[in-house]
Amino acid sequence: MYQVNFARSISSGIFLGFILLGYTVAGQQIGTAYEADVIIYGGTSGAVTAAVQVVRSGKKVIVVSPDKHLGGLSAGGLGFTDTGNKSVIGGLAREFYHRVYNHYQTDEAWVWQKKNEYGNKGQGTPAMDGTERTMWIFEPHVAEKVFEDFVKENNITLYRDEWLDRKNGVEKENGIIIAFKTLSGKTFKGKMFIDATYEGDLMAAASVKYHIGREANRVYNEEWNGIQPEVFQHGHYFKKNVSPYKIEGDPKSGLLPYISPEQIGKKGDGDNKIQAYCFRMCLSSSPDNRIPFAKPAGYDPKKYELLARVYKAGWTETFDKYDDIPNKKTDTNNHGPFSTDYIGMNYDYPDATYERRKEIIKEHESYQKGLMYYLSNDTNVPADVREKMNVWGLARDEFKDNGGWPHQIYVREARRMIGMGIMTENETLGKKPVSQPIGMGSYSLDAHNAQLYVKADGFVQNEGDIGVHPKQPYSISYESIVPKKAECQNLFVPVCLSSSHIAYGSIRMEPVFMILGQSAATAAVMAIDKKIPVQDVDYGQLKEQLLKDKQKLEL
């Protein structure tokens, strides 16, 4: 009876949509209304793999992307892939890395460097794996081309620069999304929907519950989730005493920029803070392909006084995360106590308006461009650092329409759904079994700093940097990508999935988003064929298909 009611609800909602929007034939576009079996919101790597899977499963799909460029962080500067254990990366994700491998087998790929000059170093694995015919380290434009090829080869209908109307755009009836509208006036109707954005905007607009910030450890019986003062598991902390005050040692002079005046909370307690964002810059050391670091508008060297004091204290690790990618370029990431992470300046991003998000992104860009100029020019920076920094610059042949600057900010964490099931550190660390696996993760529980604060002894410190390694790869449950049935019955959320903060620190890797995007699409097709809610998909049948598609589900 329930399956019949679900099918009737979908059919009646779509029929109503045809009348309201002027449809005369199913699947035909009239005016500003568009229809497909599955509507995917987002332009991330997970969105593209989901779309490919829908098409290969014989259904119609439309990708509605707020982004102009496809691939999210995979094509936005994160070329030094966070693989973890690469043996658990299967399906379309592995196909992506195989296509990258094929690209770098051609002579044309090596413009600024000979292939035999490239060091072939990856994260715990060779960059180029000849045995598996995969390549895990790559330039941004190469990744973007692979995603664009996926779209072209599968004739995927794609609308770019289309932004969900988050206030009034979701049409929902009896727990079922009928359609959503974008700010341009377009309406997209479907039987199933997939939110593959980093922010979870469709999920939130569909009134699905979610969480922002760090849960207290007691919520899910965890150890590494909440506030973590004096816990240092990477090198991103102040190893020597540094004064936080404008006049060193004088609290009355006020705090330097970016340092929180709040007293640190108790270890293990929850808060609304999220780990820091940054841009993963693609830098070049080739003189003919380098854009020197320019002084940005509004540049103020006083904003980087804290870094000057770090150098004064003897810090020497400036270039430790200039990870080599092909053609004399880097994927440059945050490293050390004061670096590209704009700590504490993103708390309002997940729920912020589009306008406010643009401001936050611009603030991050200004901070980071100012940092690079400071490192290249300011006399408070050691001379050897300045000299080496001036060998680097933005890569001229990357992000050409944006002056060499990445088009995607690294949204490490935003909203996280509270779904049918919740992945916690207990599942990722192997303390609890996972039922109904649809993919695997293996990377460390990796959270960047969430705040700069003043310790009781009057010195500055970072807080929130965690790096706990699972003993072995772990499974990710189907229940973590679907909402509770009472909230929505035809939505999948493979990126802002249901997870605690610290478990998300491992799951949030780009290969995993591709894996979960594909699995979500497979389940969406099954739900359409059976005319059932996503919560009622037969896992046995889903598992069978996922294995046919070469997904890795469990050890």
Side-chain angles (χ1 to χ4, degrees), residues 304-351:
Y304 307 100
E305 170 62 22
L306 195 54
L307 178 57
R309 295 181 187 180
V310 171
Y311 280 123
K312 185 179 177 182
W315 187 73
T316 60
E317 302 171 21
T318 305
F319 301 98
D320 282 15
K321 281 302 292 179
Y322 278 52
D323 293 313
D324 290 336
I325 63 176
N327 283 306
K328 294 186 178 180
K329 298 176 186 175
T330 72
D331 167 355
T332 303
N333 195 14
N334 178 83
H335 182 75
F338 189 104
S339 184
T340 57
D341 276 2
Y342 199 25
I343 300 172
M345 303 298 154
N346 60 342
Y347 298 155
D348 58 333
Y349 181 89
D351 271 337

Side-chain angles (χ1 to χ4, degrees), residues 36 48 51-56 59-63 99 147-159:
V48 177
V52 172
Q53 183 66 17
V54 173
V55 171
R56 291 185 181 180
K59 300 296 183 186
K60 294 181 179 179
V61 68
I62 295 176
V63 176
R99 289 180 177 227
F147 289 120
E148 292 288 355
D149 288 345
F150 271 141
V151 169
K152 292 175 184 177
E153 292 168 13
N154 293 279
N155 295 314
I156 293 168
T157 302
L158 168 66
Y159 294 91

Side-chain angles (χ1 to χ4, degrees), residues 413-427:
E413 182 178 357
R415 300 182 179 102
R416 286 173 284 106
M417 178 173 65
I418 302 174
M420 278 188 68
I422 298 175
M423 292 290 296
T424 73
E425 76 174 43
N426 298 305
E427 286 76 22

Side-chain angles (χ1 to χ4, degrees), residues 305-505:
E305 170 62 22
L306 195 54
L307 178 57
R309 295 181 187 180
V310 171
Y311 280 123
K312 185 179 177 182
W315 187 73
T316 60
E317 302 171 21
T318 305
F319 301 98
D320 282 15
K321 281 302 292 179
Y322 278 52
D323 293 313
D324 290 336
I325 63 176
N327 283 306
K328 294 186 178 180
K329 298 176 186 175
T330 72
D331 167 355
T332 303
N333 195 14
N334 178 83
H335 182 75
F338 189 104
S339 184
T340 57
D341 276 2
Y342 199 25
I343 300 172
M345 303 298 154
N346 60 342
Y347 298 155
D348 58 333
Y349 181 89
D351 271 337
T353 64
Y354 290 137
E355 291 75 17
R356 174 58 187 146
R357 283 184 188 164
K358 288 179 181 178
E359 291 176 356
I360 295 170
I361 292 169
K362 190 63 179 178
E363 289 163 5
H364 279 69
E365 179 181 340
S366 297
Y367 163 79
Q368 203 161 326
K369 284 183 174 178
L371 174 65
M372 303 313 289
Y373 183 81
Y374 182 85
L375 288 168
S376 304
N377 295 278
D378 199 282
T379 55
N380 285 311
V381 176
D384 62 324
V385 173
R386 280 181 279 137
E387 181 179 359
K388 186 174 180 180
M389 187 63 65
N390 278 290
V391 172
W392 295 99
L394 299 176
R396 193 178 301 278
D397 61 349
E398 300 289 349
F399 315 118
K400 292 180 180 180
D401 61 348
N402 202 33
W405 193 257
H407 42 66
Q408 174 66 59
I409 193 171
Y410 195 172
V411 180
R412 289 188 172 93
E413 182 178 357
R415 300 182 179 102
R416 286 173 284 106
M417 178 173 65
I418 302 174
M420 278 188 68
I422 298 175
M423 292 290 296
T424 73
E425 76 174 43
N426 298 305
E427 286 76 22
T428 60
L429 296 180
K431 298 177 182 178
K432 286 186 177 181
V434 174
S435 61
Q436 301 186 348
I438 56 168
M440 300 187 73
S442 63
Y443 204 77
S444 65
L445 279 66
D446 181 41
H448 282 230
N449 283 304
Q451 59 184 324
L452 276 157
Y453 73 101
V454 181
K455 299 185 296 178
D457 61 7
F459 295 106
V460 66
Q461 192 52 271
N462 289 328
E463 183 276 321
D465 181 62
I466 301 296
V468 179
H469 292 271
K471 293 181 180 179
Q472 60 187 21
Y474 58 88
S475 298
I476 301 169
S477 71
Y478 177 70
E479 291 186 337
S480 70
I481 68 167
V482 297
K484 295 176 181 177
K485 185 180 284 188
E487 294 178 10
C488 192
Q489 299 168 29
N490 64 334
L491 174 67
F492 293 87
V493 186
V495 176
C496 292
L497 76 163
S498 182
S499 166
S500 71
H501 153 72
I502 196 58
Y504 194 76

Side-chain angles (χ1 to χ4, degrees), residues 14 18 23 25-28 33-37 39 62 187-190:
I14 291 177
F18 290 161
Y23 270 76
V25 180
Q28 181 181 357
Y34 305 84
E35 179 197 6
D37 296 304
I39 307 295
I62 295 176
T187 298
F188 296 92
K189 303 173 62 64

Side-chain angles (χ1 to χ4, degrees), residues 41-343:
Y41 185 58
T44 61
S45 59
V48 177
T49 54
V52 172
Q53 183 66 17
V54 173
V55 171
R56 291 185 181 180
S57 301
K59 300 296 183 186
K60 294 181 179 179
V61 68
I62 295 176
V63 176
V64 184
S65 174
D67 309 305
K68 295 179 181 178
H69 295 272
L70 294 179
L73 256 296
S74 287
L78 205 167
F80 196 74
T81 304
D82 302 313
T83 51
N85 186 325
K86 66 186 179 185
S87 69
V88 302
I89 300 172
L92 286 168
R94 182 163 284 261
E95 182 176 336
F96 168 83
Y97 296 106
H98 171 62
R99 289 180 177 227
V100 172
Y101 174 88
N102 287 342
H103 171 82
Y104 285 107
Q105 296 308 300
T106 66
D107 292 337
E108 293 77 15
W110 300 92
V111 178
W112 305 105
Q113 180 182 44
K114 293 180 180 179
K115 183 179 177 181
N116 60 12
E117 295 175 347
Y118 176 61
N120 204 32
K121 177 186 176 183
Q123 289 205 55
T125 181
M128 284 180 279
D129 186 337
T131 303
E132 295 291 330
R133 295 179 61 79
T134 51
M135 186 160 180
W136 308 95
I137 312 299
F138 47 84
E139 299 159 277
H141 76 272
V142 174
E144 185 170 3
K145 185 180 184 303
V146 173
F147 289 120
E148 292 288 355
D149 288 345
F150 271 141
V151 169
K152 292 175 184 177
E153 292 168 13
N154 293 279
N155 295 314
I156 293 168
T157 302
L158 168 66
Y159 294 91
R160 304 173 196 257
D161 199 20
E162 289 290 340
W163 299 78
L164 173 68
D165 179 350
R166 292 160 57 190
K167 292 183 179 180
N168 304 299
V170 176
E171 180 185 350
K172 193 176 174 187
E173 181 180 302
N174 298 324
I176 298 165
I177 300 173
I178 305 301
F180 68 75
K181 296 179 182 179
T182 57
L183 295 179
S184 71
K186 294 182 179 67
T187 298
F188 296 92
K189 303 173 62 64
K191 299 171 186 175
M192 292 287 152
F193 292 81
I194 298 175
D195 184 342
T197 62
Y198 291 124
E199 294 83 6
D201 282 342
L202 178 58
M203 169 191 72
S207 299
V208 172
K209 290 185 175 62
Y210 58 87
H211 187 84
I212 298 172
R214 302 181 286 189
E215 298 92 344
N217 281 338
R218 60 182 176 273
V219 174
Y220 300 121
N221 191 29
E222 296 175 297
E223 181 179 358
W224 303 109
N225 193 347
I227 301 170
Q228 301 286 333
E230 301 298 311
V231 175
F232 310 124
Q233 294 175 335
H234 291 116
H236 313 315
Y237 65 98
F238 293 83
K239 297 179 180 179
K240 294 184 179 180
N241 290 336
V242 172
S243 175
Y245 304 112
K246 293 178 181 178
I247 299 175
E248 293 190 56
D250 182 6
K252 294 181 180 179
S253 66
L255 293 170
L256 291 174
Y258 318 125
I259 300 174
S260 172
E262 297 178 9
Q263 186 175 352
I264 191 76
K266 294 181 180 178
K267 185 174 182 178
D269 280 358
D271 61 15
N272 64 349
K273 296 176 173 60
I274 57 177
Q275 58 180 311
Y277 298 170
C278 71
F279 286 92
R280 295 288 285 252
M281 297 177 296
C282 182
L283 304 184
S284 171
S285 62
S286 298
D288 294 333
N289 193 40
R290 183 179 71 235
I291 303 173
F293 299 118
K295 181 188 292 188
Y299 172 75
D300 181 359
K302 294 179 182 178
K303 294 179 179 179
Y304 307 100
E305 170 62 22
L306 195 54
L307 178 57
R309 295 181 187 180
V310 171
Y311 280 123
K312 185 179 177 182
W315 187 73
T316 60
E317 302 171 21
T318 305
F319 301 98
D320 282 15
K321 281 302 292 179
Y322 278 52
D323 293 313
D324 290 336
I325 63 176
N327 283 306
K328 294 186 178 180
K329 298 176 186 175
T330 72
D331 167 355
T332 303
N333 195 14
N334 178 83
H335 182 75
F338 189 104
S339 184
T340 57
D341 276 2
Y342 199 25
I343 300 172

